[in-house]
Amino acid sequence: MGSLPFRLMAAEYGADITYGEEIIDHKFLKCERVTNESLGTTDFLERGTDNVVFRTCPKERDMVVFQMGTSDAVRALKAAQIVCNDVAAIDINMGCPKSFSISGGMGAALLSKPELIHDILTTLRRNLDTTVTCKIRLLNTRQDTVELARRIEKTGVPALAVHGRKVKDRPKDPAKWDEIADVVSALSIPVIANGDVFEYDDFKRIKDATEVPCGTPQFFVPKGKKPWEDVKREYVRKSILWENDLKSTKQTLKELIMHYSCLELPEGKGINKCDTGADLAKLYGEEDYYNFVVSNRN
């Protein structure tokens, strides 16, 4: 999941579907849809500001999934109606374990509320022409996970994503691919497996273990992954081209670095010191590209 530049890069590397970052329904209800003529994008701006909450473009219309955090069916529907005509699907995040999400009754808090899950999904499906899906985590027992998955399937959603960790698990804990496999065998709809896909070879391993695919941008390259330096520079160029939020761009770069190195090294420290897009372009040797894009934009 990620911002527009990250999603477009994933698509170029072979992804069939891409996910936006989770956006809370309360926040999205404060947004207005604006056509950005200079970029050729559709922007959802926080009303009365220039703050871009979600940005998309026609190029990804048939593959981008809008991921939403919610705890209320009516509110979720109102938020979905704002964006449903600009995306391929609406996905309800029912797996986020972060405190802000759980305290608001969203994310993993929904796992213990199957009636509310049913209400949210059926309300969206009955009132939208857009595809509706959701993502869950593993529950405490295999049987509980399978039973919840079956209840979700009965709402009529065409697919279900399963993250192979429980709420109490930390990112460093190994994903339980075998428990995802239990869900796959119990359902007739497609299951999207998620968790511990870091390299291209992991893509095949999780597919073999669960019989479903999953991945992140460079893992879709059939001939193997590109050098990290090429991936980062390409992401920086796309972030410049699409005027991606600087904070978002820096965070994504740091996450990429953590896959193979340490943020305490000069590159990581350099990212933290960047206050503008020009600073970031200079750090990655993309000054000429930055100046070209900015001059043509003006």
Side-chain angles (χ1 to χ4, degrees), residues 15 33 49 63 70 108 155 158 160 184 194 209 229 233 259 275 290:
R33 182 184 185 278
T49 75
M63 67 173 60
T70 188
T155 67
L160 169 67
V184 175
N194 176 244
E229 294 305 314
R233 291 185 64 173
H259 279 300
D275 295 322
Y290 177 86

Side-chain angles (χ1 to χ4, degrees), residues 130-161:
T130 309
T131 299
V132 177
T133 60
C134 69
K135 176 183 177 180
I136 65 172
R137 279 187 170 239
L138 300 176
L139 276 68
N140 289 331
T141 70
R142 291 172 182 256
Q143 182 179 355
D144 287 344
T145 304
V146 169
E147 287 181 358
L148 178 61
R150 283 174 171 161
R151 294 189 68 161
I152 289 173
E153 183 179 35
K154 289 179 180 178
T155 67
V157 295
L160 169 67

Side-chain angles (χ1 to χ4, degrees), residues 265-292:
L265 294 177
E267 182 183 6
K269 292 181 178 179
I271 291 174
N272 287 331
K273 293 178 181 178
C274 291
D275 295 322
T276 65
D279 293 338
L280 205 56
K282 182 177 181 179
L283 180 66
Y284 283 94
E286 295 294 341
E287 293 173 277
D288 289 345
Y289 182 80
Y290 177 86
N291 292 331
F292 172 79

Side-chain angles (χ1 to χ4, degrees), residues 85-98:
N85 293 324
D86 296 293
V87 298
I90 304 291
D91 185 77
I92 304 302
N93 187 322
M94 301 180 179
C96 181
K98 296 180 180 178

Side-chain angles (χ1 to χ4, degrees), residues 133 153 157-162 183-184 187-193 212:
T133 60
E153 183 179 35
V157 295
L160 169 67
V162 181
V183 177
V184 175
L187 303 187
S188 59
I189 60 174
V191 175
I192 302 169
V212 293

